[in-house]
Amino acid sequence: MKYKLLFASLLLCSLTNVSASACPTGDPKSIRYIRRNNNRCEGIIGINDNIPISATFQLISIATRNLNKWGETLTIQLPPVANSSNPEVKLRSIEQDYQLDKIDIPPNTSRFSFSTYVLKKAQIPVNRLRAIAWVNFEDLAHTYIPVKIGNPSHEYEFVFFTSNWTKINKFTILHDGKKEVYSHQRRNSQSPGEIIFKWEASNAPTGRYVLKIEAEVDRRGVVAPESIKQDIVFFHDQTWLNQ
């Protein structure tokens, strides 16, 4: 378990943590991280791959899903965001060291389908696949957009990864950075691993939102906990979520 957490922390350094050189071509029947169908990099990240050290506390997923099992293919969908850059998307399962990224999404589309061969071969649980996507939008260089993993639900799942014991002091969502629409506090410290929040957003108006999170992280060997404050901007499309 300690090894898994250590390797997971190495895996989570940044949203672009694996270099292009770490995505070679290879046998499509393997489950190693390789270029597949000339439209994505996908597979299990090897221990010898060049992966730098992680941040202590990081957002790894904003997604909506309603799946019970894998089919032959999986479709992910993104909300359309006018006047934005092409989206960057990353799917991963931390426990199994699985990652899918460098997706070639066709122009003027917001969906991407791929074979579930690796997901099933690597025994990735349906509810453990995480997804994160972002665009450059208006005056902000990094705006997150939720990802539909297969069928949607009416709620978003926000997943953070921490490599240490962590206490969440504040989790607040603001519409346009002003009106509070959701707030949650966890009084007890969370063990290393994933921390999940869910927000029922089907009645929330379309627009830009800001997630404010404050946490205290107890790092090993450090007397005082590390204080973390993050403002995470994301775009919500009410009609897209309810489709």
Side-chain angles (χ1 to χ4, degrees):
M1 180 64 181
K2 290 182 179 178
Y3 169 79
K4 276 292 184 183
L5 286 174
L6 173 62
F7 187 73
S9 68
L10 295 176
L11 179 63
L12 288 169
C13 176
S14 70
L15 294 171
T16 56
N17 54 11
V18 179
S19 65
S21 61
C23 179
T25 57
D27 182 359
K29 293 183 179 180
S30 77
I31 60 172
R32 284 297 306 269
Y33 179 78
I34 61 172
R35 190 70 177 167
R36 298 179 186 273
N37 294 104
N38 203 32
N39 63 10
R40 70 190 187 279
C41 294
E42 182 191 17
I44 304 302
I45 302 295
I47 188 64
N48 294 321
D49 289 330
N50 182 24
I51 305 172
I53 296 175
S54 149
T56 304
F57 181 82
Q58 187 180 44
L59 175 71
I60 62 170
S61 186
I62 305 179
T64 177
R65 82 183 76 221
N66 184 16
L67 287 175
N68 295 318
K69 62 180 181 179
W70 300 125
E72 292 302 310
T73 61
L74 177 65
T75 298
I76 61 171
Q77 298 181 66
L78 308 170
V81 182
N83 302 318
S84 71
S85 64
N86 290 331
E88 297 285 343
V89 186
K90 177 174 288 187
L91 276 66
R92 49 192 169 183
S93 179
I94 305 306
E95 293 176 344
Q96 284 78 19
D97 306 326
Y98 167 89
Q99 185 162 298
L100 185 154
D101 59 4
K102 300 178 179 65
I103 302 173
D104 293 335
I105 299 179
N108 303 317
T109 62
S110 58
R111 52 193 295 135
F112 180 79
S113 297
F114 61 97
S115 168
T116 56
Y117 172 81
V118 177
L119 290 168
K120 290 188 288 189
K121 200 78 173 176
Q123 299 182 344
I124 309 295
V126 171
N127 64 349
R128 302 297 289 181
L129 182 64
R130 307 305 180 204
I132 196 163
W134 63 98
V135 295
N136 296 333
F137 175 56
E138 294 181 349
D139 57 329
L140 290 175
H142 211 90
T143 300
Y144 291 98
I145 53 176
V147 181
K148 282 183 187 176
I149 303 176
N151 301 319
S153 66
H154 294 296
E155 64 183 10
Y156 291 134
E157 187 181 74
F158 299 85
V159 184
F160 293 82
F161 185 88
T162 176
S163 53
N164 302 274
W165 282 86
T166 300
K167 180 181 179 182
I168 305 298
N169 293 325
K170 180 179 182 180
F171 181 97
T172 303
I173 297 175
L174 306 176
H175 183 213
D176 285 334
K178 300 174 184 178
K179 182 181 178 181
E180 182 178 305
V181 296
Y182 181 79
S183 181
H184 186 85
Q185 180 178 348
R186 295 189 175 177
R187 300 182 183 278
N188 298 322
S189 295
Q190 308 289 304
S191 59
E194 294 183 348
I195 301 176
I196 301 174
F197 293 90
K198 294 183 178 181
W199 174 43
E200 215 294 342
S202 58
N203 294 322
T206 296
R208 183 189 295 182
Y209 287 76
V210 177
L211 164 59
K212 291 182 173 290
I213 190 164
E214 297 180 6
E216 294 179 12
V217 178
D218 289 324
R219 301 182 64 181
R220 181 177 298 179
V222 179
V223 176
E226 178 184 357
S227 179
I228 293 177
K229 295 183 179 181
Q230 295 181 3
D231 287 354
I232 297 166
V233 180
F234 67 96
F235 183 82
H236 161 65
D237 186 326
Q238 182 184 21
T239 59
W240 174 86
L241 180 63
N242 291 324
Q243 290 176 353

